[in-house]
Amino acid sequence: MAWTINATAISVEIRAGTNGWASLGFGGEMVGSIAQLGWCSDGVANIEEYLLADRATSGINLQEPSPLSDRFCQEEGGTTTIRYIRPLQTESLTISPDGDTNIIYALNGDDSISQHSQTNRGLARVNFATGDASTIDETDYVIAHSACMWVAFAGLMPIGALLARYGKMLPIKTPLWFYAHITVQTLAVIMMIPGFVLALKVDDDGERFEENHGRIGLALFILGGTQFLGGVLRPHKAAEGEFSLIRTIWELGHGPLGLAISIMAFINVFYGLELDDDSKEIWWTLHTAWVIIIGGLAIILEGVKTTLRLRKKPEKKSTQDDVEGQVPGDDRQQAPGRRREEEEKKMDTLGSGGGTTTLTRRGAGAGAAGGAA
C-alpha cells in the first residue's frame, strides 16, 4: 500500500498478489467498515466504495454516488494494482491525516465481489502523516472455534454414542464402556463451551445465527448441554419385576437424541466449511473421510450386535425343545422340576402295595446281608 495525502484528499495505491480483487477498509473490524474494492476486467478499472454491513456478500452495500475519482487498475504477472483518489471527509467516512488509523485489507482471486478466505485478510495500523505502518496480530477466533466444535461434536460425541450402544458387547464383567462413555462425553462438553464462546467472539453482531451454520450450531449447543445433563441426572433402573415410567421415557429419548446430535454435527461442519474458501479441499476431504469411518463402524457394530441377539434366541428354543423331547421316566434327562414331581409321586405311593414291596425288597436285602454276616 502506498499513499499521498493533502488537506482535502488522499490518493491510495494497492498492490495485491492476485488476479482478482483487492480491497482496503477503514475500521478496526470488517462489519461496519467503509471499504474501497476493485479489480481489472479487460483493462477496465472496476473500483467502488462499499459499506460492509455483514460478512456475507449480501451485506456489502454500494455507496452512491461514489466518492472515488481518478481510478486506475493494472493486472500483470499475478499482481493486481488499483489506484484511486478519495476525499478525506464524506458523510459516511472521515479519514484523519494525523494520528493512527486502523485499516483492514483483503483479496481474492475472483473478478467480482466474493467471500475471501481467512488467510487472505489482515488488520494494520497506519499514520498517514508520518508514514508509519504496522500489521496487527489477530487471534484467529475462527480456527479456534472450528477446532473446539469439531472435536466436541463431530469427534468425541459420536465416539461416546458408539461406546454407549455397543460397549455392552465387550466380554468383561466391569462396565468399562459406561465409564468410557461418561469420560468421552464430559470431554466433549469441556470443548463445547469455549467453542461456543469463540463463536460469539467471531460474530459480535449476532448476525451469524441468521445463517444455517449459526442456527444449527446454536441448536447443537443447547441439545448437547441438555443431553449431558440428562445423562448426569438419569433416573435409576427399576427393580427386577417393577416398571419405571420415568426411566422408560429417559431410555426412549437419550439414545435417539445422541444419534440426532451426531448427525446434525456432521452436517453442520459442512455448512461451516462452506464459509471459508481455504477449507474446500483438505478439510472437506478429512471430514468426509471421518464421517464415512464413523458411519461404517456403526454399521459393522450394529451387524455384530444383531447377529449376537439372533444367536441367543435359537439357544433358548433348543433348550426348551430338549426338555419337551425327554423320554418319560428317564431321570437323567428330565429337568429338575420334572424329577421333583416324580419323586413326590413316589412318596405318595409309600403306603401302597408297590411301596411295601419296595421296602420289603430293601429289607430282605438288608436281612440277607446281615445273615451272611
Side-chain angles (χ1 to χ4, degrees):
M1 174 183 174
W3 67 89
T4 57
I5 193 168
N6 57 35
T8 60
I10 183 172
S11 175
V12 178
E13 180 176 292
I14 304 171
R15 293 188 183 93
T18 180
N19 290 322
W21 60 259
S23 69
L24 175 70
F26 292 84
E29 57 184 23
M30 176 179 175
V31 176
S33 293
I34 295 293
Q36 296 81 46
L37 184 151
W39 64 88
C40 285
S41 178
D42 297 328
V44 178
N46 296 281
I47 308 171
E48 299 292 348
E49 184 164 287
Y50 301 88
L51 169 63
L52 309 182
D54 190 10
R55 289 181 175 84
T57 55
S58 59
I60 299 178
N61 302 319
L62 177 65
Q63 299 293 93
E64 294 180 317
S66 175
L68 306 183
S69 61
D70 293 347
R71 302 166 195 172
F72 166 83
C73 79
Q74 183 180 27
E75 187 176 293
E76 184 178 6
T79 299
T80 295
T81 301
I82 61 173
R83 187 167 59 240
Y84 55 88
I85 296 177
R86 188 195 190 281
L88 292 182
Q89 186 171 1
T90 62
E91 183 177 347
S92 60
L93 174 66
T94 297
I95 300 174
S96 174
D98 301 314
D100 292 337
T101 299
N102 289 336
I103 62 171
I104 58 175
Y105 56 90
L107 57 94
N108 202 1
D110 299 328
D111 284 343
S112 61
I113 296 177
S114 56
Q115 189 168 13
H116 60 79
S117 67
Q118 293 296 324
T119 56
N120 289 336
R121 64 177 180 83
L123 175 65
R125 184 175 290 113
V126 177
N127 188 309
F128 293 114
T130 65
D132 295 334
S134 61
T135 58
I136 299 175
D137 292 333
E138 294 182 278
T139 301
D140 202 329
Y141 296 110
V142 173
I143 293 178
H145 157 75
S146 302
C148 287
M149 288 308 219
W150 189 93
V151 171
F153 284 101
L156 292 174
M157 286 192 180
I159 293 176
L162 292 177
L163 287 170
R165 181 162 181 80
Y166 306 112
K168 298 177 184 178
M169 296 188 299
L170 295 174
I172 55 177
K173 294 182 179 180
T174 304
L176 180 62
W177 67 268
F178 179 70
Y179 300 119
H181 171 71
I182 292 177
T183 301
V184 170
Q185 300 302 62
T186 301
L187 291 174
V189 172
I190 292 174
M191 296 296 294
M192 175 185 76
I193 295 174
F196 184 75
V197 174
L198 288 168
L200 298 178
K201 183 65 178 178
V202 170
D203 185 31
D204 293 331
D205 53 15
E207 294 185 1
R208 181 68 72 188
F209 294 112
E210 296 180 3
E211 301 173 353
N212 288 332
H213 181 70
R215 286 195 295 261
I216 296 176
L218 179 61
L220 283 171
F221 181 77
I222 295 173
L223 292 176
T226 302
Q227 179 78 338
F228 181 76
L229 290 177
V232 173
L233 303 176
R234 66 190 181 282
H236 295 292
K237 287 185 177 181
E240 187 174 353
E242 296 182 0
F243 174 76
S244 173
L245 178 61
I246 296 178
R247 177 72 186 195
T248 301
I249 294 175
W250 180 85
E251 291 178 348
L252 291 175
H254 191 69
L257 180 57
L259 176 62
I261 289 174
S262 296
I263 294 175
M264 289 173 61
F266 287 150
I267 295 173
N268 203 38
V269 170
F270 287 118
Y271 278 124
L273 292 175
E274 288 181 349
L275 300 178
D276 188 357
D277 290 341
D278 290 344
S279 64
K280 286 188 176 180
E281 294 183 6
I282 182 64
W283 299 121
W284 278 81
T285 302
L286 290 176
H287 180 63
T288 301
W290 177 250
V291 172
I292 293 173
I293 290 172
I294 293 296
L297 185 59
I299 293 173
I300 293 173
L301 291 175
E302 189 66 29
V304 172
K305 185 175 182 178
T306 302
T307 301
L308 293 176
R309 186 188 301 118
L310 293 175
R311 283 182 178 178
K312 289 180 180 180
K313 291 182 178 180
E315 289 177 1
K316 293 181 179 180
K317 185 176 185 300
S318 176
T319 303
Q320 183 65 27
D321 291 341
D322 291 342
V323 173
E324 294 176 354
Q326 288 175 352
V327 178
D330 188 350
D331 290 341
R332 294 173 300 178
Q333 295 183 0
Q334 288 178 340
R338 298 276 305 269
R339 287 201 296 270
R340 281 196 298 271
E341 292 178 3
E342 294 297 330
E343 290 173 359
E344 290 175 359
K345 289 181 181 180
K346 289 180 180 180
M347 292 298 292
D348 291 340
T349 59
L350 285 177
S352 65
T356 302
T357 301
T358 302
L359 290 175
T360 302
R361 287 176 180 173
R362 290 177 180 176

